[in-house]
Amino acid sequence: MKHVIVGNGVAGVTAARGIVRSDPDEEVHIFGFEPYPYYRRPLLWEFIAGQIERHAVFFRPPDWYAGPGIQLHLGARVTQLDPVGHRLYVEVSGERPASGRSVEYDRLLLATGGRAFVPPCEGVEKDGVFTLRTLDDALAIKACAQEASRAIVI
């Protein structure tokens, strides 16, 4: 049976581990929009503060996924879902053309997580205004902090 998980966060990775532990012969694919394997979001502030190195935010190295039989697809944006046909369509960053290739599945789990809410107030679109949700957010904040002498955290 082919299991497809959309979302490479704690829910998606935990579900994938549970599936392969239950039956190592199951085929499990995780599709994650970000170019990174699962990382611990609560540690991002420690990375920004310089208390830990970048590698310390990652839960497992990328080669860990293959060990338990999980196929990890990073930089993969799911653009369309056909639940009747048991198929989804994926664009992978770096693929040219962005073909929107299709992937069939027997079982599907949508574990896409959340997004940071930005209140509708003046100035939120300006350079130097950030949310902290992803590793890319943390990298941008850390880079900006190198040049900044003041900051406001809300």
Side-chain angles (χ1 to χ4, degrees):
M1 183 166 296
K2 183 175 183 179
H3 300 264
V4 169
I5 299 170
V6 180
N8 185 36
V10 65
V13 171
T14 302
R17 274 187 22 204
I19 292 166
V20 297
R21 279 184 180 166
S22 173
D23 186 348
D25 294 329
E26 294 292 308
E27 183 179 351
V28 179
H29 296 260
I30 298 176
F31 290 87
F33 173 67
E34 292 185 80
Y36 314 107
Y38 166 62
Y39 56 90
R40 296 172 280 200
R41 294 181 196 279
L43 297 182
L44 292 176
W45 74 267
E46 293 180 60
F47 167 64
I48 293 168
Q51 295 177 1
I52 62 172
E53 296 295 321
R54 179 176 166 168
H55 67 84
V57 301
F58 294 103
F59 188 66
R60 305 263 191 226
D63 59 346
W64 172 85
Y65 294 84
I70 300 168
Q71 297 181 47
L72 183 61
H73 308 271
L74 298 175
R77 178 190 295 268
V78 175
T79 59
Q80 188 177 350
L81 178 62
D82 175 8
V84 174
H86 284 237
R87 177 180 306 274
L88 54 83
Y89 296 85
V90 180
E91 290 181 0
V92 179
S93 64
E95 265 187 14
R96 295 290 176 248
S99 60
R101 67 183 160 111
S102 68
V103 176
E104 292 182 342
Y105 60 85
D106 296 305
R107 293 201 171 156
L108 174 66
L109 172 62
L110 299 177
T112 56
R115 292 183 186 208
F117 171 74
V118 178
C121 50
E122 186 178 331
V124 297
E125 73 287 343
K126 292 185 177 185
D127 288 342
V129 176
F130 303 96
T131 59
L132 179 56
R133 173 81 182 134
T134 68
L135 180 54
D136 284 339
D137 294 338
L139 292 167
I141 292 168
K142 194 166 182 156
C144 185
Q146 300 294 324
E147 308 291 323
S149 59
R150 297 181 300 168
I152 298 174
V153 178
I154 300 174

